[in-house]
Amino acid sequence: MAQISRYPIKKEIADRIFEIFLKTLVNVKDKEEARQLVSDLLTPTERIMLAKRLSIAFLLEKGYHYGTIKELLRVSSPTVAAVNLARQYGSKGYKKLIDKISKEESIGKFLKETSIKLVSMPAVEGKGGGVWRYLKREIEK
């Protein structure tokens, strides 16, 4: 588990470095830049820990039970409870992220279903039909 130095810094300095940290996160432009920052900033264990916390919040929002989440993500009951408390009574950060993830998944699902329907009904059967079947199989993958 991460530890904080027992030699505290002044509150003004702590506030300033946290402000810089937040600005850094906000200024990340794309997935690759985010991956690079996270890779440099966090240890592998910290990356897994944070990803699991977000996953726990997402699964709780979707109505999964504690036991299922514990088994699926290999986490403890206190971890699930802590995330649930933060999700319900925290600053709503989890809620906002989960809403964004859900919208992206819904849009992705809609686009996938639409593209499958489009390639499932080609205008002309016969010559060129194999291309449509190939496209359909690739989209379904």
Side-chain angles (χ1 to χ4, degrees), residues 19-68:
E19 181 182 323
I20 292 168
F21 173 69
L22 291 177
K23 283 183 181 181
T24 301
L25 292 178
V26 168
N27 289 325
V28 172
K29 300 289 186 225
D30 57 33
K31 187 176 177 179
E32 180 59 23
E33 190 175 338
R35 188 197 60 73
Q36 291 170 344
L37 176 64
V38 168
S39 179
D40 290 346
L41 193 60
L42 303 173
T43 66
T45 302
E46 290 167 335
R47 289 191 294 255
I48 292 168
M49 177 188 66
L50 292 176
K52 281 186 175 186
R53 286 182 184 177
L54 183 57
S55 298
I56 291 167
F58 185 80
L59 293 172
L60 286 168
E61 193 72 27
K62 296 293 182 185
Y64 284 77
H65 296 286
Y66 273 41
T68 305

Side-chain angles (χ1 to χ4, degrees), residues 5-121:
S5 170
R6 59 183 160 169
Y7 306 108
I9 59 177
K10 293 181 181 179
K11 183 180 178 344
E12 299 82 30
I13 294 173
D15 290 346
R16 180 66 182 135
I17 61 175
F18 190 68
E19 181 182 323
I20 292 168
F21 173 69
L22 291 177
K23 283 183 181 181
T24 301
L25 292 178
V26 168
N27 289 325
V28 172
K29 300 289 186 225
D30 57 33
K31 187 176 177 179
E32 180 59 23
E33 190 175 338
R35 188 197 60 73
Q36 291 170 344
L37 176 64
V38 168
S39 179
D40 290 346
L41 193 60
L42 303 173
T43 66
T45 302
E46 290 167 335
R47 289 191 294 255
I48 292 168
M49 177 188 66
L50 292 176
K52 281 186 175 186
R53 286 182 184 177
L54 183 57
S55 298
I56 291 167
F58 185 80
L59 293 172
L60 286 168
E61 193 72 27
K62 296 293 182 185
Y64 284 77
H65 296 286
Y66 273 41
T68 305
I69 295 170
K70 283 175 43 183
E71 186 177 320
L72 182 65
L73 298 176
R74 310 286 292 164
V75 295
S76 66
S77 292
T79 300
V80 178
V83 170
N84 195 32
L85 282 173
R87 184 180 67 89
Q88 289 181 337
Y89 303 109
S91 61
K92 304 299 179 209
Y94 276 129
K95 177 86 171 119
K96 290 176 184 177
L97 280 174
I98 291 167
D99 287 347
K100 284 182 182 181
I101 291 168
S102 295
K103 285 178 187 174
E104 287 175 9
E105 279 193 353
S106 295
I107 291 169
K109 184 178 178 184
F110 169 76
L111 291 173
K112 180 181 175 186
E113 289 172 357
T114 302
S115 59
I116 287 173
K117 287 177 184 175
L118 285 173
V119 298
S120 294
M121 47 184 190

